[in-house]
């Protein structure tokens, strides 16, 4: 098992770096990023931060609670 602790600011910076590493995606191709971890690990928060960096303005809900 691998555990990593980050502050919200560090997680936000990491989300920015992830987005910057994506190839230019101006309609050329989609990108899939898989997130896994236990409840409360920060998957939704991270997904919301990535969405914000990509300019998404709608609310990004937790997919876990959608499935439950």
């Amino acid at each position: 098992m691998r555990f990593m602790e980050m502050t919200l600011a560090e997680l936000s910076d990491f989300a920015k770096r992830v987005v910057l590493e994506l190839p230019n995606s101006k309609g050329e191709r989609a990108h899939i990023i898989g997130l896994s971890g236990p409840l409360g690990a920060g998957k939704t928060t991270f997904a919301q931060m990535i969405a914000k960096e990509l300019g998404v303005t709608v609310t990004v809900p937790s997919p876990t609670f959608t499935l439950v």
Side-chain angles (χ1 to χ4, degrees):
M1 241 181 219
R2 182 176 170 183
F3 294 94
M4 182 182 297
E5 290 185 26
M6 290 185 172
T7 65
L8 287 176
E10 292 168 332
L11 189 60
S12 178
D13 289 342
F14 182 62
K16 289 175 188 175
R17 290 197 318 263
V18 168
V19 169
L20 288 174
E21 291 294 320
L22 293 174
N24 188 346
S25 58
K26 301 217 187 277
E28 297 168 7
R29 62 176 41 184
H31 302 285
I32 297 172
I33 299 172
L35 303 174
S36 66
L39 289 173
K43 300 177 299 294
T44 300
T45 301
F46 183 61
Q48 290 168 339
M49 290 177 174
I50 287 179
K52 179 180 176 186
E53 290 303 316
L54 291 171
V56 175
T57 58
V58 297
T59 301
V60 177
S62 167
T64 302
F65 292 109
T66 301
L67 292 173
V68 173

